[in-house]
Amino acid sequence: MKLVKLIANLGYGSRKQVALMFREGRITDPQGEVLYADDAVAHADVRVDGEPLDPPQGLLILLHKPIGYTCSTKDPGRVVYDLLPPRFRLRDPVLSTVGRLDRDTSGLLLMTDDGGLLHRITSPKANLPKVYEATLAQDFRGDEAAVFGSGTLMLESEKTPLAPAGFEALGPRRARIVLVEGRYHQIRRMFAAVGNHVETLHRHSLGGLGLGGLEPGAWRELGEADRAEIWNTDSGVGVPLSR
Ligand code: URA
């Protein structure tokens, strides 16, 4: 790929704007030699204003989503993209969230520009456990584990029952829930179906990957070892609960 396209695709500007950056001598190699728009140079050997380029296509980000942010690009309020460098919003291919968390849910959220990877993680075939912790408005009534684990719970306006989900009470109004699917407002609707109301909801893990001490609002790029953790469901992070 021509350098001008590669840099424009990373969100540094339109091709016209990036062409101007070349003419201004802002794009160089690591030794400071000026590069030209049609040069074919490895990503790692390009500097913009002396700084290495943003990560190449194939980016995977782990974000600790705080409450109050939506996973949309269009919402007029706070969106998860506001927590990343502004350029990341302009990348082509686009950086998308891997599934969604509601505005009022906090916790582990992945974002990627790799459509194949996104599909592999979210596909029902992947069967990846997602572990949440919820606090409820009312005490548990006692049959939640049986109802959620039954594989027959039908939520309003759904055509198929929910896959069995894990439930473990951590207190009278606090529970760990394990899902292997991700329907719209699923946990909130599951608790509504048993006459309760979710007050707080936090996602701890996806597959074998946890937040690992990442603070709310913070993010980091995931390398190969972290990526492998997603599929490592024996790691103990996302152990399915007994039902
Ligand atoms: N279930 C919900 O209700 N909300 C989320 O954000 C995730 C799971």
Side-chain angles (χ1 to χ4, degrees), residues 101-102 105 132 185-188 201:
L101 290 178
D102 304 337
T105 303
Y132 297 82
H185 286 183
Q186 182 168 337
I187 293 179
R188 295 175 202 279
L201 186 59

mmCIF file of all heavy atoms in Angstrom, residues 101-102 105 132 185-188 201, ligand 1:
data_model
loop_
_atom_site.group_PDB
_atom_site.id
_atom_site.type_symbol
_atom_site.label_atom_id
_atom_site.label_comp_id
_atom_site.label_asym_id
_atom_site.label_seq_id
_atom_site.Cartn_x
_atom_site.Cartn_y
_atom_site.Cartn_z
ATOM 1 N N LEU A 101 -21.877 -2.935 25.397
ATOM 2 C CA LEU A 101 -22.323 -2.843 26.789
ATOM 3 C C LEU A 101 -23.263 -1.649 26.849
ATOM 4 O O LEU A 101 -23.019 -0.632 26.190
ATOM 5 C CB LEU A 101 -21.139 -2.617 27.736
ATOM 6 C CG LEU A 101 -20.158 -3.780 27.941
ATOM 7 C CD1 LEU A 101 -19.025 -3.344 28.875
ATOM 8 C CD2 LEU A 101 -20.837 -5.017 28.487
ATOM 9 N N ASP A 102 -24.312 -1.758 27.651
ATOM 10 C CA ASP A 102 -25.251 -0.647 27.791
ATOM 11 C C ASP A 102 -24.539 0.569 28.379
ATOM 12 O O ASP A 102 -23.538 0.425 29.074
ATOM 13 C CB ASP A 102 -26.366 -0.970 28.806
ATOM 14 C CG ASP A 102 -27.108 -2.221 28.467
ATOM 15 O OD1 ASP A 102 -27.107 -2.614 27.301
ATOM 16 O OD2 ASP A 102 -27.690 -2.792 29.419
ATOM 17 N N THR A 105 -23.738 0.073 31.975
ATOM 18 C CA THR A 105 -22.922 -1.091 32.336
ATOM 19 C C THR A 105 -21.459 -0.690 32.224
ATOM 20 O O THR A 105 -21.070 -0.010 31.275
ATOM 21 C CB THR A 105 -23.201 -2.273 31.379
ATOM 22 O OG1 THR A 105 -24.594 -2.569 31.415
ATOM 23 C CG2 THR A 105 -22.407 -3.514 31.778
ATOM 24 N N TYR A 132 -20.279 -11.457 34.447
ATOM 25 C CA TYR A 132 -20.778 -10.160 34.923
ATOM 26 C C TYR A 132 -21.030 -10.234 36.420
ATOM 27 O O TYR A 132 -21.292 -11.309 36.967
ATOM 28 C CB TYR A 132 -22.116 -9.816 34.270
ATOM 29 C CG TYR A 132 -22.075 -9.640 32.774
ATOM 30 C CD1 TYR A 132 -22.127 -10.738 31.928
ATOM 31 C CD2 TYR A 132 -22.000 -8.369 32.206
ATOM 32 C CE1 TYR A 132 -22.105 -10.572 30.548
ATOM 33 C CE2 TYR A 132 -21.982 -8.198 30.833
ATOM 34 C CZ TYR A 132 -22.026 -9.306 30.010
ATOM 35 O OH TYR A 132 -22.000 -9.136 28.653
ATOM 36 N N HIS A 185 -29.775 -5.932 26.084
ATOM 37 C CA HIS A 185 -30.075 -5.742 27.512
ATOM 38 C C HIS A 185 -30.352 -7.069 28.216
ATOM 39 O O HIS A 185 -31.235 -7.153 29.081
ATOM 40 C CB HIS A 185 -31.321 -4.838 27.678
ATOM 41 C CG HIS A 185 -31.051 -3.400 27.382
ATOM 42 N ND1 HIS A 185 -31.995 -2.425 27.517
ATOM 43 C CD2 HIS A 185 -29.940 -2.768 26.959
ATOM 44 C CE1 HIS A 185 -31.494 -1.246 27.182
ATOM 45 N NE2 HIS A 185 -30.238 -1.441 26.843
ATOM 46 N N GLN A 186 -29.586 -8.083 27.853
ATOM 47 C CA GLN A 186 -29.963 -9.440 28.260
ATOM 48 C C GLN A 186 -30.112 -9.623 29.766
ATOM 49 O O GLN A 186 -31.117 -10.147 30.244
ATOM 50 C CB GLN A 186 -28.958 -10.474 27.706
ATOM 51 C CG GLN A 186 -29.365 -11.893 28.072
ATOM 52 C CD GLN A 186 -28.582 -12.938 27.320
ATOM 53 O OE1 GLN A 186 -28.047 -12.666 26.250
ATOM 54 N NE2 GLN A 186 -28.509 -14.145 27.868
ATOM 55 N N ILE A 187 -29.102 -9.187 30.512
ATOM 56 C CA ILE A 187 -29.152 -9.458 31.965
ATOM 57 C C ILE A 187 -30.261 -8.639 32.622
ATOM 58 O O ILE A 187 -30.990 -9.128 33.486
ATOM 59 C CB ILE A 187 -27.777 -9.194 32.611
ATOM 60 C CG1 ILE A 187 -26.788 -10.250 32.082
ATOM 61 C CG2 ILE A 187 -27.855 -9.219 34.132
ATOM 62 C CD1 ILE A 187 -25.375 -10.108 32.600
ATOM 63 N N ARG A 188 -30.419 -7.401 32.166
ATOM 64 C CA ARG A 188 -31.509 -6.576 32.737
ATOM 65 C C ARG A 188 -32.866 -7.238 32.475
ATOM 66 O O ARG A 188 -33.741 -7.272 33.346
ATOM 67 C CB ARG A 188 -31.476 -5.160 32.130
ATOM 68 C CG ARG A 188 -30.205 -4.409 32.529
ATOM 69 C CD ARG A 188 -30.060 -3.059 31.851
ATOM 70 N NE ARG A 188 -28.662 -2.660 31.867
ATOM 71 C CZ ARG A 188 -28.041 -2.095 32.905
ATOM 72 N NH1 ARG A 188 -28.703 -1.827 34.003
ATOM 73 N NH2 ARG A 188 -26.761 -1.800 32.845
ATOM 74 N N LEU A 201 -24.292 -3.063 36.928
ATOM 75 C CA LEU A 201 -23.853 -4.220 36.146
ATOM 76 C C LEU A 201 -22.445 -3.956 35.640
ATOM 77 O O LEU A 201 -22.158 -2.867 35.121
ATOM 78 C CB LEU A 201 -24.826 -4.424 34.975
ATOM 79 C CG LEU A 201 -24.628 -5.668 34.112
ATOM 80 C CD1 LEU A 201 -24.727 -6.953 34.944
ATOM 81 C CD2 LEU A 201 -25.683 -5.704 32.992
HETATM 82 N N1 URA B 1 -26.687 -7.480 29.768
HETATM 83 C C1 URA B 1 -27.229 -6.254 29.894
HETATM 84 O O1 URA B 1 -28.380 -6.123 30.294
HETATM 85 N N2 URA B 1 -26.474 -5.189 29.595
HETATM 86 C C2 URA B 1 -25.206 -5.271 29.171
HETATM 87 O O2 URA B 1 -24.566 -4.250 28.916
HETATM 88 C C3 URA B 1 -24.650 -6.553 29.048
HETATM 89 C C4 URA B 1 -25.424 -7.650 29.350
#
